[in-house]
Amino acid sequence: MAEDTRTRILDTAERLFADRGFYGVSIAAIATEIDLTKQALLHHFGSKEKLYGEVLKRISQRFELDLSKAQPSGDDPVERLVASLLHLQTRNTDQPNVIHLLMRELLDNKRRADTVGTWYLEPFLERLTCMVAATPKYNDATLEEAFAATYQLLGAINYFGVSQPTLTGIYGERFYAKIEADFPQQLEALIRSAVAP
Amino acid sequence: MAEDTRTRILDTAERLFADRGFYGVSIAAIATEIDLTKQALLHHFGSKEKLYGEVLKRISQRFELDLSKAQPSGDDPVERLVASLLHLQTRNTDQPNVIHLLMRELLDNKRRADTVGTWYLEPFLERLTCMVAATPKYNDATLEEAFAATYQLLGAINYFGVSQPTLTGIYGERFYAKIEADFPQQLEALIRSAVAP
DNA sequence: CTCCCTACTTACCAAATGGTAAGACGTCAA
DNA sequence: TTGACGTCTTACCATTTGGTAAGTAGGGAG
């Protein structure tokens, strides 16, 4: 039961932090949502900062697990790149909390202790950049060029990943559903044209 | 002097809201930074929410002014698209506050009164989507496909626009400076390959 | 039965939050 | 001179914040 409570706290905290940001959520709000007092929460996690850290840590662990499990096979760098990025897009759709929270980290880690928000990005970026660099088009390009191309594709994915509420608000659910359904193949087209020689 | 104080408050508020988010900034923090009391600030703006609204409103006005001034000329839709998006990229580089604040709005407007965060997006998106749709490649495409392509390019730009602190933190200022300097032409390449037939 | 540990509660606390009330100070028009 | 106005200050206020202290309930080990 202990582990269950911890997990429920982490689940709720992840969702609320993703929705409202670190300062937009009080530990009391997290606790009452699962019928606990904030002191029970503090008993488990010590402080709000530590709870937030645990949320990020859990996301990080899931991320790395997912990364090692979904190593794209095949030796064509283009296909591997497409597979990796489409997988990322799928994750953003299935677990929108994660990209919301990571986007907030991207915005906040100037102020916060600059280390916590970048654990996941560096190895991930490096892998992706290598795939792009292995592509025929970028074979002779500089590292900076391959990196920029990678980051542009990542931006296309992640920006869309945090846009659902806004786009639904502007265009309605019907239109958004169509966009979201089409997005993966549109994305694949962009990736292929970006690395096409 | 009155207008000057108002402007100074708005400038500071814009910067701090962009840096730390709505809940991360207190009106006292904004006021003390220009040697005022928070009551003087409240005298000018009534409430924190109203101040935030005024900050967004001013950004909106600048945005529309900029939009009407920088109407890309020429009748080639590809060139107009390239010009518009490169202009946006330049703005993100020159005034990083703006894209930071707008990205926070994108994350927050699920919770906030859904209207305030979308004033700028709809007409802007429509203009860009029309340019993409006018492109040879998207002439026969559906509206959804043109929209998705537009949004992907926008994502590539805006995601990079909020990444400076993180990328500098990971790779250092030297590397980031090179990436940033190269980014416009890399972006132009991506746009052209995205709408190339 | 007792001891101890984990899980959780009630009762606090100091600090900070957004906001109100009332007044001081200067300026400017009548 | 007077009265009104805009600008800003000091003095408050209720509420919420993250966090501490102390104690209760229950289960398992000796």
Side-chain angles (χ1 to χ4, degrees):
Chain A
M1 288 306 118
E3 207 51 39
D4 179 58
T5 300
R6 247 186 91 93
T7 304
R8 276 167 62 213
I9 293 175
L10 283 172
D11 288 343
T12 309
E14 182 176 311
R15 180 167 45 84
L16 292 185
F17 281 141
D19 261 17
R20 312 182 198 166
F22 183 79
Y23 293 112
V25 183
S26 68
I27 49 178
I30 299 169
T32 54
E33 203 158 295
I34 49 178
D35 286 316
L36 278 182
T37 57
K38 69 170 175 175
Q39 289 75 8
L41 191 152
L42 285 172
H43 165 72
H44 284 283
F45 291 95
S47 77
K48 187 185 182 183
E49 286 277 355
K50 284 180 190 164
L51 170 61
Y52 184 80
E54 290 293 312
V55 169
L56 281 187
K57 186 174 159 192
R58 204 176 62 149
I59 288 180
S60 156
Q61 286 165 349
R62 288 205 304 251
F63 194 89
E64 274 161 32
L65 189 72
D66 185 68
L67 209 65
S68 63
K69 204 163 53 183
Q71 282 277 11
S73 55
D75 46 356
D76 184 354
V78 173
E79 298 308 319
R80 289 178 48 194
L81 181 71
V82 167
S84 289
L85 291 178
L86 283 181
H87 183 67
L88 190 66
Q89 163 61 22
T90 304
R91 275 190 1 137
N92 280 359
T93 306
D94 294 345
Q95 312 168 22
N97 279 345
V98 174
I99 184 59
H100 270 78
L101 215 135
L102 294 181
M103 191 69 87
R104 289 192 189 276
E105 270 298 297
L106 206 61
L107 288 161
D108 285 347
N109 69 358
K110 184 204 297 194
R111 185 177 27 79
R112 211 185 297 279
D114 287 4
T115 53
V116 73
T118 56
W119 43 261
Y120 78 101
L121 252 186
E122 192 171 4
F124 181 60
L125 275 178
E126 192 182 329
R127 271 192 46 184
L128 287 180
T129 305
C130 283
M131 290 186 206
V132 169
T135 281
K137 179 175 182 182
Y138 284 92
N139 247 335
D140 300 329
T142 67
L143 176 64
E144 284 85 3
E145 286 168 344
F147 180 85
T150 307
Y151 212 76
Q152 287 169 350
L153 295 175
L154 208 57
I157 296 169
N158 286 341
Y159 188 71
F160 182 71
V162 297
S163 297
Q164 186 265 324
T166 297
L167 292 181
T168 303
I170 297 181
Y171 299 106
E173 292 186 15
R174 298 283 302 274
F175 189 80
Y176 180 78
K178 277 192 274 186
I179 300 287
E180 192 187 44
D182 276 0
F183 200 81
Q185 52 184 315
Q186 291 273 120
L187 180 62
E188 184 172 344
L190 181 74
I191 300 168
R192 292 191 186 279
S193 67
V195 298
Chain B
M1 289 302 123
E3 207 51 40
D4 180 57
T5 300
R6 248 186 90 94
T7 304
R8 277 167 61 213
I9 293 176
L10 283 172
D11 288 343
T12 309
E14 183 177 310
R15 181 167 45 83
L16 292 185
F17 282 141
D19 261 18
R20 312 181 198 167
F22 183 78
Y23 294 112
V25 183
S26 69
I27 49 178
I30 299 169
T32 55
E33 205 160 292
I34 49 177
D35 286 317
L36 277 182
T37 57
K38 68 173 176 174
Q39 289 76 8
L41 190 153
L42 285 172
H43 165 72
H44 284 283
F45 292 95
S47 76
K48 187 185 182 183
E49 285 277 357
K50 283 180 190 163
L51 169 60
Y52 184 79
E54 290 294 312
V55 168
L56 281 187
K57 185 175 159 191
R58 204 177 61 148
I59 288 180
S60 155
Q61 286 166 350
R62 287 206 305 252
F63 193 90
E64 273 160 34
L65 189 72
D66 184 68
L67 210 64
S68 65
K69 205 164 50 183
Q71 283 276 13
S73 55
D75 45 359
D76 184 353
V78 173
E79 298 308 319
R80 289 178 48 195
L81 182 70
V82 167
S84 289
L85 291 179
L86 282 181
H87 182 67
L88 189 67
Q89 163 61 22
T90 304
R91 275 189 0 136
N92 281 357
T93 305
D94 294 345
Q95 313 168 21
N97 280 345
V98 175
I99 185 57
H100 270 78
L101 216 133
L102 294 181
M103 191 69 86
R104 289 192 189 276
E105 270 297 298
L106 205 61
L107 288 162
D108 285 347
N109 70 359
K110 185 205 293 195
R111 187 175 25 80
R112 213 185 296 279
D114 287 4
T115 52
V116 73
T118 57
W119 45 259
Y120 78 103
L121 251 185
E122 191 171 5
F124 181 60
L125 276 178
E126 190 182 331
R127 271 191 46 185
L128 288 180
T129 305
C130 283
M131 290 185 206
V132 170
T135 281
K137 179 175 182 182
Y138 284 92
N139 248 335
D140 299 329
T142 65
L143 176 64
E144 284 86 1
E145 285 168 345
F147 180 85
T150 308
Y151 212 75
Q152 288 169 351
L153 295 175
L154 207 59
I157 297 168
N158 286 341
Y159 188 71
F160 182 71
V162 297
S163 296
Q164 186 266 324
T166 296
L167 291 182
T168 302
I170 297 182
Y171 300 105
E173 292 185 16
R174 299 283 300 277
F175 188 81
Y176 180 78
K178 276 192 275 185
I179 299 287
E180 192 186 45
D182 277 359
F183 200 82
Q185 51 183 317
Q186 291 273 121
L187 180 64
E188 184 173 344
L190 181 74
I191 300 167
R192 292 192 187 279
S193 65
V195 298

